[in-house]
Amino acid sequence: MKRVLLSKDYTLIVGMPGTGKTTTICTLVRILYACGFSVLLTSYTHSAVDNILLKLKKFQVGFLRLGRTQKIHPEIQKYGEEEILKAKSVKMLSGLEELYNSQPVVGTTCMGVNHPIFTRRRFDFCIVDEASQISQPICLGPLFFADRFVLVGDHQQLPPLVQSTEARELGMSESLFKRLERNQDAVVNLTVQYRMNSKIMSLSNKLVYEGRLECASERVSSATVQLPQLKSLKLELELRETPESAWIKDVLEPSNPVFFLNTENIPAPETEEKCGVSNWIEAKLVAYLAFLFGKAGCKPSDIGIIAPYRQQLKVISTSFAKLSSSTVEVNTVDKYQGRDKSVIIVSFVRSNTNGKLGDLLKDWRRLNVALTRAKHKLILLGCVPTLSRFDSLQQLISYLKSDNLILNLPPAAHEHLHG
């Protein structure tokens, strides 16, 4: 906080996974507000802006939210410009002027800076959340309206999404955050995380953060998934247990927070169709595991399934619908950025002998995001020989091997699944 207040021009806050970036931004806004500074609060997405405003709302910090009402979170809509104008039935220009000057804190997306308010107001500070995910031209927009700025992000997580290969090669996928990070004097690192237990944290600590991440407390470090019905489920599974299904008990066990389930012996080949890549055996196993966690007493909203390909998400959702009436969130890594669940199951999909890998899994930043979404239990599912051809995954697999966290599924493991 002191660094931001004393900065001449800018500060970069590197928020590693689970370190409470939103809480930090909220505290920062409250301090600046208390000191009498005006703050422009922006991010690329509406949901990121609203996440911070939802926290601020609890602290009675007044703010004005720009943007179309239907894009704004329902609890924030009453702070929106359209709603306030309607409520106060403002018809005159002077009333509009008064509204625009009424609040020291204004929230909008980076693309919202062509709003007329910016022809009349400058801010003391501009704070940009998710800055490492925003391309440079879009990130620069709001910075022109403030004297000093704060970028919050982590370039070890998802980069800006740039469709054009040519633009990517010319450096368009480098964010302003990454560019300015070379000036180490401006950087503040958040390294204490409140999300993952120590076993899950150690994966990305090893692969990405060089051991700098640490658990906030012993409670965070040793937290395990709560499965109130596990005992009765285990008895039920034991009655039907075969050598092919004995592995399931180990995977459910809360004191084993991380497992990589290797499908090479099953085998579980991928299918490539016009609509994308999928792997139906992996999908069946993933859906079954999610179903069992639900049966063991984990709330569906605490379970998340991640896969890199949209086609795989469809196949998993279909498999899950056959097993259970409750809905578990099935999404891509990109959609999980900034969020977490108690249990995360990742399906890597690729399993072939022809050396085809695809681009989605090549990016270690995407892998880093997938590994850091889980709080208590992380289950990775894939074919070790295929995935070992990726550098980032090869490192992960050799670390998991050294820690005995790879479980080779028996042939026909997928044929002995009972709902």
Side-chain angles (χ1 to χ4, degrees), residues 107-370:
T108 184
T109 60
C110 293
M111 300 298 271
V113 293
N114 53 5
H115 188 282
I117 192 172
F118 296 106
T119 58
R120 300 296 178 96
R121 273 190 76 173
R122 265 193 85 70
F123 293 83
D124 298 312
F125 285 90
C126 173
I127 299 175
V128 186
D129 188 18
E130 291 182 335
S132 44
Q133 255 184 293
I134 307 174
S135 64
Q136 290 183 45
I138 293 172
C139 192
L140 283 168
L143 307 186
F144 287 111
F145 302 103
D147 298 333
R148 294 185 265 177
F149 64 87
V150 181
L151 302 183
V152 185
D154 175 8
H155 77 260
Q156 316 273 21
Q157 294 185 54
L158 295 179
L161 200 60
V162 178
Q163 300 280 337
S164 154
T165 321
E166 193 185 350
R168 269 204 306 274
E169 280 164 7
L170 291 167
M172 191 65 170
S173 59
E174 182 181 60
S175 62
L176 183 65
F177 186 91
K178 174 101 171 77
R179 236 180 128 156
L180 294 177
E181 208 184 23
R182 292 172 197 139
N183 170 13
Q184 275 300 310
D185 294 345
V187 177
V188 180
N189 287 297
L190 304 179
T191 56
V192 177
Q193 65 85 26
Y194 302 81
R195 176 187 296 157
M196 303 162 272
N197 64 31
S198 54
K199 264 279 195 266
I200 295 171
M201 179 185 77
S202 70
L203 299 183
S204 84
N205 235 350
K206 220 12 168 229
L207 292 176
V208 179
Y209 296 108
E210 296 161 346
R212 286 179 301 161
L213 262 180
E214 50 185 295
C215 290
S217 65
E218 181 48 43
R219 207 184 79 224
V220 171
S221 171
S222 57
T224 53
V225 64
Q226 298 301 304
L227 301 174
Q229 318 300 324
L230 183 61
K231 247 190 175 138
S232 56
L233 176 63
K234 271 187 172 169
L235 288 171
E236 200 182 309
L237 290 170
E238 271 164 19
L239 291 173
R240 295 194 300 246
E241 193 170 282
T242 62
E244 284 80 17
S245 66
W247 58 275
I248 295 170
K249 280 206 308 275
D250 290 337
V251 176
L252 289 172
E253 180 50 54
S255 60
N256 299 333
V258 178
F259 257 130
F260 188 110
L261 307 180
N262 177 17
T263 60
E264 72 175 295
N265 300 333
I266 289 182
E270 65 187 61
T271 325
E272 204 162 342
E273 296 162 81
K274 213 167 46 244
C275 43
V277 187
S278 62
N279 188 325
W280 70 268
I281 293 179
E282 263 188 40
K284 199 173 164 181
L285 287 162
V286 164
Y288 181 61
L289 286 171
F291 165 69
L292 286 181
F293 277 110
K295 221 171 161 179
C298 193
K299 289 208 299 281
S301 58
D302 285 335
I303 304 168
I305 296 174
I306 295 178
Y309 302 98
R310 291 220 159 75
Q311 185 55 26
Q312 181 71 346
L313 301 176
K314 281 187 198 145
V315 180
I316 292 171
S317 298
T318 313
S319 305
F320 193 72
K322 286 179 194 155
L323 281 169
S324 170
S325 56
S326 63
T327 46
V328 162
E329 191 181 348
V330 182
N331 239 322
T332 57
V333 180
D334 302 56
K335 287 280 193 298
Y336 269 105
Q337 169 86 13
R339 300 170 52 235
D340 53 40
K341 300 266 183 187
S342 179
V343 176
I344 288 279
I345 305 171
V346 181
S347 166
F348 283 110
V349 182
R350 302 312 298 233
S351 173
N352 58 54
T353 48
N354 60 12
K356 265 195 163 175
L357 296 175
D359 287 335
L360 278 172
L361 290 174
K362 280 189 186 141
D363 193 334
W364 51 268
R365 291 169 294 195
R366 197 169 257 108
L367 174 64
N368 183 31
V369 173

